[in-house]
Amino acid sequence: MGKYKYIDRLRQAMEGKYSEEYINYCAEYAAKLLDKNLPVIYDAKHVDEILRLYGIKPDCYHIFVIAGKNKERKITAPSREIKQRQQWILKEILEKQDVSDNCHGFVKKRSILTNAKMHMGHKNILNLDIRNFFPSITETMVIFQFQQMGYSKNVAEALAGVCCYEGKLPQGAPTSPYMSNLILKNMDQDLENFCQKKGITYTRYADDMSFSSNEEIEGFFKDIKFIIGKYSFEINEKKTCYYQDPYRKIVTGLVVKENEVCIPKKFKRKFRQEIYYCRHLGVQRHLENTGNQERTGFREYMYGKAYFIAMVEPEVGKKYLEALDEIEWGY
């Protein structure tokens, strides 16, 4: 239905039931949202009707911890019912909003590879990590973001209630990554303005921020920290890394060189070893030797690694994929 046809039908449905002033208000409100290609939602009750929230518990989440190489992540995963509603919000509302050009995480056609490539050929790289990234984003911030899109406070509060858990953005909800990008858009712009003046390249992938230049940039740490603090975020200084020539430089886990981005040699060496043991000992024997005999999804895990390598180094990744195809996976 076209914008003008929708407004005409809205006016016809409201005539005789509401004042002309209120009808004009609703028509203007709807027109602003339609101009942005957003679904028109009038109040919290309308949110409940669209998302079919009746009888669904908004606080139904499963909490678990994933241990990474350098940090543990507390994952707050929504129930299937809540997740489905969040996916609708993500597709119909959030992804229709632009994020900053500096942002490379959770955005179509951008990745850790496009993020790392921005820093090729630079002598100095500074990597920063935002402390408690998702929990630092409050429900109040999320409400404000929905209001910025054009929704009334009543609607914004209802939508934020679906996206948040215990007053914060949960790490594990499908809406959280893109919402975080929208909330950090102004911060990204402030950092970009500062970096342009100093001849620095700035990118962000979720909570990982990278700054690079051919000039010394470590001295700008306090300025960058101040800008980030303005937006209620803190830097995890224990994870701050500064790379300089002639040493190896890393951005979002990838090696950044003068004219190319590569997978770390250690990662590829360990992966080759796993393939070797799987081919010569058998998958089950390899899992037993490594204490992972109860592991599920190992085949998918191995192919996932190979596709990751292929994304960065196509020819190398192709060889690994061919080697995986030769393995007997009947375990």
Side-chain angles (χ1 to χ4, degrees), residues 161-175:
V162 178
C163 296
C164 295
Y165 175 70
E166 294 185 343
K168 299 175 182 178
L169 211 56
Q171 182 163 333
T175 41

Side-chain angles (χ1 to χ4, degrees), residues 81-322:
E81 291 80 6
I82 294 297
K83 185 177 181 179
Q84 288 175 341
R85 275 70 182 175
Q86 290 170 340
Q87 287 171 333
W88 185 90
I89 293 173
L90 174 64
K91 180 181 178 181
E92 300 298 331
I93 299 177
L94 302 186
E95 289 184 341
K96 293 179 180 178
Q97 314 300 309
D98 293 330
V99 300
S100 73
D101 291 338
N102 310 90
C103 174
H104 288 258
F106 317 109
V107 182
K108 292 177 181 177
K109 297 183 180 180
R110 301 184 202 175
S111 64
I112 62 169
L113 179 59
T114 62
N115 183 69
K117 280 185 173 181
M118 294 296 295
H119 303 279
M120 290 190 308
H122 291 175
K123 296 179 180 178
N124 306 297
I125 295 178
L126 174 66
N127 290 333
L128 304 177
D129 182 277
I130 298 177
R131 186 193 304 275
N132 298 323
F133 183 52
F134 285 114
S136 296
I137 299 176
T138 66
E139 191 164 350
T140 300
M141 294 178 183
V142 177
I143 292 170
F144 178 75
Q145 192 61 47
F146 280 120
Q147 287 182 285
Q148 289 293 101
M149 297 176 199
Y151 287 109
S152 68
K153 185 177 181 181
N154 185 262
V155 172
E157 289 174 343
L159 290 172
V162 178
C163 296
C164 295
Y165 175 70
E166 294 185 343
K168 299 175 182 178
L169 211 56
Q171 182 163 333
T175 41
S176 293
Y178 207 91
M179 175 57 79
S180 69
N181 286 339
L182 296 175
I183 288 173
L184 268 66
K185 187 175 181 179
N186 288 338
M187 186 193 78
D188 286 337
Q189 188 58 59
D190 267 8
L191 287 168
E192 175 63 17
N193 292 341
F194 171 81
C195 289
Q196 279 189 343
K197 294 176 183 177
K198 305 298 182 181
I200 298 171
T201 297
Y202 160 62
T203 64
R204 180 177 59 80
Y205 189 96
D207 55 348
D208 293 320
M209 312 170 76
S210 297
F211 304 82
S212 65
S213 175
N214 285 324
E215 304 300 325
E216 194 275 338
I217 56 177
E218 195 172 18
F220 296 119
F221 177 79
K222 288 185 178 179
D223 299 289
I224 293 169
K225 181 179 178 181
F226 174 77
I227 294 172
I228 293 171
K230 279 170 48 181
Y231 293 89
S232 302
F233 294 101
E234 294 181 28
I235 293 172
N236 189 340
E237 297 193 27
K238 292 181 179 179
K239 296 177 182 176
T240 297
C241 296
Y242 188 55
Y243 302 97
Q244 291 180 292
D245 273 353
Y247 302 102
R248 186 185 71 163
K249 305 175 189 71
I250 300 288
V251 173
T252 47
L254 301 177
V255 178
V256 177
K257 298 184 178 180
E258 182 68 27
N259 297 306
E260 64 178 346
V261 173
C262 308
I263 301 288
K265 291 181 180 179
K266 183 178 180 180
F267 183 94
K268 290 184 287 188
R269 182 169 62 249
K270 185 177 180 180
F271 188 55
R272 283 198 303 271
Q273 287 177 339
E274 284 198 277
I275 292 175
Y276 175 85
Y277 291 132
C278 286
R279 292 179 65 179
H280 290 79
L281 300 178
V283 176
Q284 187 60 45
R285 178 74 178 276
H286 171 59
L287 290 174
E288 290 173 359
N289 289 346
T290 55
N292 292 304
Q293 56 267 35
E294 301 300 323
R295 181 170 186 166
T296 59
F298 181 67
R299 177 179 179 176
E300 291 75 13
Y301 162 80
M302 292 291 282
Y303 271 94
K305 276 192 170 184
Y307 282 118
F308 167 66
I309 294 172
M311 177 186 72
V312 182
E313 300 181 41
E315 290 303 315
V316 176
K318 181 182 178 181
K319 292 179 181 178
Y320 287 141
L321 286 167
E322 290 172 350

